[in-house]
């Protein structure tokens, strides 16, 4: 899978960059809101910093425009061609579903964060236990939410159906979902240390990985096997004119 992912990134490098730039442009209003909430949290301090950061992350990574990347990457993974224009049409089709999904995801995370704040005030062992449980619940739901977009795009389901599908897959494949979160953390770190890298291809590269994982998980339940990987050598990368 890693080899296939690498070569697909290589073959679609220009498209990944273009998709990422398009997403960054369409996502600009959400970025402004994210920055405003982050600054508001910093001004108030304390738990508001976490709340502001949570809102900012949700606004940036779970906004409707990200569907143009997910749609294109899902088509590539399944061996189909896809243009930006067709992905923009998908944005119009899925916009309100994705906006609702973003709001639902945010509310659940906010409720869990408020529970953490509430229980941490209890100066007892029970308060510490419940605080720890809420922290784990918040982390698990964040891992869970990373798979929502690829499934809603590929399965064309309602928000509720998507939540049920991903919840079932999280229960049946916890290690796969955890590994997916580690890859997301790695890509986010690379995007952060590179400055603008997150908006110049890094996020699109992560979405391509998530699309591979989505196809892999779905194949277990649908019985539709993935296309066999074509053996390719690094000679194609270093000296492509000889292949």
């Amino acid at each position: 899978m890693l080899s296939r992912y690498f070569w697909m990134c290589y073959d679609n490098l220009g498209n990944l960059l273009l998709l990422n730039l398009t997403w960054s442009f369409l996502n600009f209003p959400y970025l402004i809101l994210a920055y405003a909430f982050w600054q508001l949290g910093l001004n108030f301090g304390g738990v508001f910093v976490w709340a502001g950061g949570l809102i900012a992350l949700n606004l940036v990574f779970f906004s409707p425009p990200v569907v143009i990347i997910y749609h294109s990457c899902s088509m590539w993974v399944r061996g189909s061609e896809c243009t930006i224009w067709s992905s923009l049409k998908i944005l119009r089709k899925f916009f309100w579903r994705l906006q609702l999904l973003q709001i639902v995801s945010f509310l659940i995370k906010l409720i869990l964060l408020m529970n953490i704040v509430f229980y941490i005030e209890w100066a007892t062992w029970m308060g510490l236990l419940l605080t720890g449980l809420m922290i784990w619940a918040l982390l698990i739901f964040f891992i869970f939410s990373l798979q929502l977009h690829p499934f809603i795009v590929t399965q064309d389901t309602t928000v509720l159906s998507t939540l049920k599908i991903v919840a079932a897959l999280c229960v049946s494949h916890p290690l796969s979902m955890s590994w997916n979160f580690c890859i997301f953390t790695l890509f986010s770190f690379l995007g952060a240390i590179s400055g603008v890298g997150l908006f110049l291809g890094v996020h699109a590269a992560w979405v391509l990985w998530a699309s591979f994982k989505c196809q892999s998980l779905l194949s277990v339940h649908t019985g539709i096997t993935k296309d066999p990987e074509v053996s390719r050598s690094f000679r194609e990368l270093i000296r492509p004119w000889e292949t």
Side-chain angles (χ1 to χ4, degrees):
M1 177 178 172
L2 284 174
S3 174
R4 189 177 174 213
Y5 168 76
F6 172 81
W7 285 112
M8 189 162 288
C9 282
Y10 175 70
D11 292 337
N12 296 281
L13 194 59
N15 288 326
L16 286 173
L17 176 60
L18 188 58
L19 278 171
N20 214 142
L21 285 171
T22 305
W23 166 71
S24 301
F25 176 75
L26 295 176
N27 211 38
F28 194 67
Y30 293 93
L31 287 171
I32 293 175
L33 283 174
Y35 180 76
F37 277 108
W38 171 244
Q39 288 299 316
L40 193 63
L42 289 176
N43 290 337
F44 281 97
V47 70
F48 292 101
V49 175
W50 293 99
L54 187 66
I55 295 173
L57 284 174
N58 206 79
L59 284 167
V60 172
F61 293 109
F62 296 91
S63 61
V66 79
V67 73
I68 66 171
I69 310 180
Y70 279 103
H71 175 255
S72 295
C73 290
S74 295
M75 295 292 285
W76 297 339
V77 167
R78 285 156 180 78
S80 301
E81 295 295 327
C82 184
T83 65
I84 289 184
W85 293 114
S86 61
S87 293
L88 288 173
K89 292 178 182 178
I90 290 294
L91 172 60
R92 185 171 59 181
K93 174 183 177 181
F94 281 91
F95 182 85
W96 292 112
R97 264 184 281 180
L98 293 170
Q99 189 61 77
L100 178 60
L101 186 66
Q102 183 185 35
I103 293 172
V104 170
S105 174
F106 164 70
L107 288 176
I108 293 174
K109 292 169 188 171
L110 187 61
I111 290 171
L112 291 172
L113 182 62
M114 290 173 64
N115 283 335
I116 293 172
V117 175
F118 177 74
Y119 290 129
I120 207 170
E121 295 295 328
W122 295 10
T124 62
W125 66 270
M126 181 60 74
L128 291 175
L129 176 62
L130 292 173
T131 299
L133 288 174
M134 290 299 105
I135 291 174
W136 274 106
L138 183 60
L139 177 61
I140 290 171
F141 183 75
F142 187 81
I143 295 172
F144 159 87
S145 62
L146 290 176
Q147 284 296 332
L148 292 174
H149 283 88
F151 278 95
I152 199 172
V153 170
T154 57
Q155 302 304 296
D156 194 6
T157 56
T158 63
V159 171
L160 183 59
S161 296
T162 303
L163 291 170
K164 290 179 179 178
I165 292 171
V166 179
L169 289 173
C170 281
V171 172
S172 59
H173 299 83
L175 292 179
S176 181
M177 293 294 184
S178 299
W179 173 241
N180 208 39
F181 171 72
C182 293
I183 299 297
F184 172 79
T185 303
L186 173 62
F187 276 104
S188 298
F189 175 74
L190 292 175
I193 62 174
S194 62
V196 296
L198 186 65
F199 307 103
L200 294 177
V202 173
H203 189 57
W206 144 253
V207 171
L208 182 60
W209 170 266
S211 299
F212 268 108
K213 293 300 294 182
C214 175
Q215 184 199 32
S216 177
L217 289 171
L218 280 175
S219 65
V220 176
H221 294 269
T222 60
I224 300 175
T225 57
K226 296 175 289 185
D227 296 331
E229 294 187 16
V230 179
S231 178
R232 298 172 67 179
S233 68
F234 279 94
R235 181 184 293 274
E236 295 182 48
L237 180 64
I238 302 171
R239 306 167 76 176
W241 57 86
E242 293 185 2
T243 59

